Amino acid sequence: MRLPESGGASAGLVGPAEPGGPAVAPEPAEASSEASSEPDAAGGLPRIVVGTRRRWVVGLAALGLGQGALGAVGAWALTQLRPELWPLVVAVLSIVATAVAVGGLRVEERIVAERLGQDYVRDLRRELVESELTPGGSTHLGITVARTTNDLASVRNWVSQGIGPLAAGIPLIAGSAVGLTVLDPFLGIGFLLPLAVLAAVMVPWARTAYLKSRRLRRARGRMATRIADTVGASEGIIAARGAGRELDHIDSASADVVDRAVDRSVTVGALRAGGTVAALLATLAVAAVGVVRGLDPTVTVAAMAMAGLASTPIVDLGRIVDYRQTFLAARAVLVPALADAARRRAEHDRASSAAASADLPDGADVPGRVHLVLPGLVPDGAPLSAGPGARIRLVGDDTGDGAGAPLRLMRRVVGLDLAPAGTTDEIWVAGQNLRAVAPSDGRALVGLATRGTVFERGTLRRALRYRRPDLDDATADAVFEAVGLDVGRFPDGPRTVLRAGGEPLTVDERARLALARAVYGEPPLLLVADLDRDLDEEGRDRLAALLAAYPGAVAFTGSDELARVLDAEELRLASAPVPVTPDGRTPDADD
């Protein structure tokens, strides 16, 4: 096929589109995130204390106050100890009941704190995975795994074991300080003095812990990427007898992680020891004040009990600071990643919004007709227009198969790539603007089958019906048969679970499944990229027969033999992106 002259029309290509204005409703936006996923203005991560999580934080504070109140009751019971039997029994039972109640509140505190952390990490995990499902993402698999495991574990630890204990511990410490001050002002001063010293020394320790956490995180990231690369290249490594060398590299990366982790543990140990020492000194200071001040022994014992109850959150302070610094190190990585994803989403939304406002070109409303305006791929900016039954072989200027430019065209049609800056793609299929329809409708308009397709985890039947889950099982069985995919050879048949991108399917079977998914429901536009290279001889014959009989328009890359069998027209695309002006024209078009 050759590029048409203006005004031509055929089942293949026609002349350039008419300029247009708004005529089609813009694509509905995806459902907005809940308030819990709105970014934190300060740190760039979703806010923690919102929605249901706000109630949980308030509940943690109430649990802390409850523990403080029970501590006061227990201290009062200590002052009621008498040598008489019944007063002694009542006081002892009160003390035991108070201790058991405090234990119950501690259990509830841990449960609520864990709910808080897990709920927050769930939102953040969704944000991270969504960033990888946003067009333009190219994060290394090892980095993605590290972010969704190590980094999110750091975030969870801070929220559930940092913020949670703080929310409950601060009211408990404050309540104990107030109670001690009521008993004797010097008791309150003696209790708070070690805490003030702890706060002063933790400032430089916290900064050191943060820097060491960053270094450890980088080392873990390098190790994760090396492991992912090694596992991905395992067959080549085994074939070249290079397993020993690669394991040596892994050992080297692991040794770096070990060294940095041990170095960090020195600072972490100091932080945690600081909390323990401060708690011990606070209790001893209260006892010393009671002795020096000559307070009644029962008052001193009660004061020591209140200080002892507050010692648990004080001991936790060192661990909390450790979790905070680890969280900050993870946040330094997560925030830029989420910001980049937000930028890519905004660019995609802007491009989709601009494309959705285009006028319907003349003739594009014919049932089954395809009209593609893709600036930068076709040198003179002419649209690709094809009717039902058209067979178009896409080739590039530089190579026989022209894989680069045709794949760019297909990626832009399905929204994986954006148009050049300042231009807009227009994708019209069966009179529908692909950028303006709902995702469920867009899936029914275009089918894409590419060589080396990687499938999502799920059953064979789900993989086939992924584009069109609305169709019935009978249709699925017919398509399996049409592409020659024998699902009966698997013990579980169509319920066989695909893992690791498509196992246990062979390369040929994966290609057949990719074709089956693409033709499922017979979309008006079918895109096929080098699929014949993954098929055996019988599969190539089926591919040719299926494409020849396909009712819609087919654009493909493939062998000369396939093009001959299909009697395909040829469309030669630019091998490199063609420069375009902001209005979508090429420089030559301005002359």
Side-chain angles (χ1 to χ4, degrees):
M1 170 179 289
R2 66 179 187 278
L3 292 176
E5 297 180 357
S6 178
S10 68
L13 304 180
V14 299
E18 296 290 331
V24 181
E27 179 176 357
E30 295 292 336
S32 59
S33 300
E34 296 179 3
S36 58
S37 295
E38 293 178 359
D40 187 324
L45 292 181
R47 292 181 296 186
I48 297 175
V49 188
V50 293
T52 302
R53 293 198 292 266
R54 180 184 289 112
R55 294 196 295 272
W56 289 339
V57 171
V58 173
L60 287 169
L63 288 171
L65 290 173
Q67 292 175 57
L70 288 172
V73 172
W76 172 83
L78 285 172
T79 65
Q80 303 304 308
L81 289 172
R82 299 288 186 273
E84 292 82 6
L85 178 61
W86 285 112
L88 179 63
V89 170
V90 172
V92 170
L93 290 178
S94 299
I95 293 170
V96 171
T98 300
V100 172
V102 169
L105 292 183
R106 287 286 292 178
V107 171
E108 187 64 24
E109 173 193 327
R110 186 69 189 89
I111 294 172
V112 175
E114 188 64 25
R115 286 184 181 276
L116 178 68
Q118 292 293 350
D119 186 79
Y120 182 68
V121 166
R122 180 184 62 183
D123 284 351
L124 194 53
R125 185 183 296 114
R126 180 183 177 87
E127 293 263 350
L128 285 173
V129 176
E130 184 181 8
S131 72
E132 295 304 311
L133 297 179
T134 300
S138 59
T139 305
H140 191 283
L141 174 61
I143 295 298
T144 301
V145 171
R147 287 175 180 170
T148 53
T149 53
N150 293 339
D151 290 339
L152 288 189
S154 299
V155 174
R156 185 198 66 82
N157 286 341
W158 162 241
V159 176
S160 64
Q161 301 184 54
I163 292 178
L166 276 178
I170 290 177
L172 176 55
I173 294 173
S176 298
V178 171
L180 291 170
T181 303
V182 170
L183 291 176
D184 188 284
F186 288 97
L187 290 175
I189 295 174
F191 175 75
L192 292 175
L193 186 59
L195 301 186
V197 175
L198 175 64
V201 299
M202 274 193 173
V203 173
W205 288 353
R207 176 62 181 172
T208 302
Y210 168 73
L211 295 175
K212 291 183 177 181
S213 295
R214 288 294 307 274
R215 289 195 288 267
L216 176 59
R217 196 266 165 215
R218 294 191 190 101
R220 283 175 173 166
R222 287 192 295 269
M223 182 178 68
T225 55
R226 178 166 289 279
I227 291 174
D229 290 341
T230 301
V231 173
S234 59
E235 292 186 359
I237 293 171
I238 295 171
R241 305 294 193 271
R245 284 174 290 169
E246 295 306 316
L247 289 175
D248 289 341
H249 290 310
I250 298 297
D251 286 342
S252 177
S254 299
D256 187 31
V257 172
V258 170
D259 291 341
R260 293 175 185 268
V262 171
D263 179 52
R264 178 179 172 275
S265 68
V266 176
T267 304
V268 171
L271 284 170
R272 299 197 177 193
T276 302
V277 171
L280 179 59
L281 289 178
T283 303
L284 293 177
V286 168
V289 169
V291 173
V292 173
R293 295 277 295 167
L295 300 178
D296 186 278
T298 57
V299 174
T300 302
V301 171
M304 292 181 63
M306 295 179 68
L309 183 63
S311 65
T312 298
I314 296 174
V315 170
D316 288 343
L317 288 177
R319 179 168 54 87
I320 290 170
V321 173
D322 170 29
Y323 287 146
R324 173 65 178 174
Q325 304 315 307
T326 306
F327 161 76
L328 292 176
R331 189 181 69 173
V333 175
L334 296 175
V335 167
L338 294 176
D340 178 67
R343 176 190 59 78
R344 287 186 279 114
R345 280 196 295 271
E347 290 179 356
H348 185 267
D349 290 344
R350 284 195 297 269
S352 297
S353 178
S357 64
D359 268 342
L360 179 68
D362 291 340
D365 56 348
V366 176
R369 193 158 193 84
V370 175
H371 186 94
L372 310 179
V373 179
L374 302 166
L377 281 175
V378 180
D380 65 357
L384 186 160
S385 185
R391 303 293 179 264
I392 306 170
R393 186 190 187 193
L394 304 174
V395 297
D397 289 337
D398 53 344
T399 63
D401 59 6
L407 278 179
R408 286 197 298 273
L409 181 146
M410 295 180 187
R411 288 176 61 86
R412 281 168 62 176
V413 168
V414 298
L416 291 176
D417 292 339
L418 299 179
T423 67
T424 300
D425 287 342
E426 295 183 29
I427 316 295
W428 296 88
V429 181
Q432 301 283 330
N433 186 338
L434 196 61
R435 298 294 186 260
V437 298
S440 58
D441 295 330
R443 291 193 295 266
L445 296 175
V446 180
L448 172 66
T450 63
R451 181 190 182 204
T453 298
V454 177
F455 294 97
E456 63 288 334
R457 187 181 182 92
T459 65
L460 262 172
R461 190 181 298 279
R462 179 178 185 268
L464 170 65
R465 301 178 61 193
Y466 199 77
R467 281 184 43 256
R468 297 293 306 275
D470 54 306
L471 300 182
D472 56 30
D473 289 346
T475 304
D477 295 337
V479 175
F480 276 135
E481 183 177 354
V483 301
L485 183 55
D486 181 16
V487 298
R489 81 174 186 87
F490 303 106
D492 294 328
R495 292 188 298 276
T496 299
V497 176
L498 302 181
R499 301 178 176 87
E503 295 179 357
L505 301 181
T506 65
V507 172
D508 172 77
E509 289 171 333
R510 295 186 194 195
R512 292 173 189 256
L513 180 57
L515 178 62
R517 174 189 283 188
V519 302
Y520 191 58
E522 296 185 344
L525 174 60
L526 178 62
L527 305 173
V528 180
D530 292 326
L531 204 62
D532 53 331
R533 297 171 63 182
D534 279 354
L535 292 167
D536 59 19
E537 184 175 356
E538 193 271 342
R540 289 192 291 272
D541 291 341
R542 281 186 179 269
L543 172 65
L546 193 151
L547 295 185
Y550 192 75
V554 178
F556 70 96
T557 60
S559 65
D560 293 337
E561 175 65 18
L562 179 60
R564 184 189 63 78
V565 171
L566 296 179
D567 191 23
E569 302 176 84
E570 186 174 284
L571 172 62
R572 187 165 296 276
L573 304 175
S575 59
V578 178
V580 291
T581 61
D583 61 0
R585 296 179 296 168
T586 63
D588 292 341
D590 294 333
D591 297 336

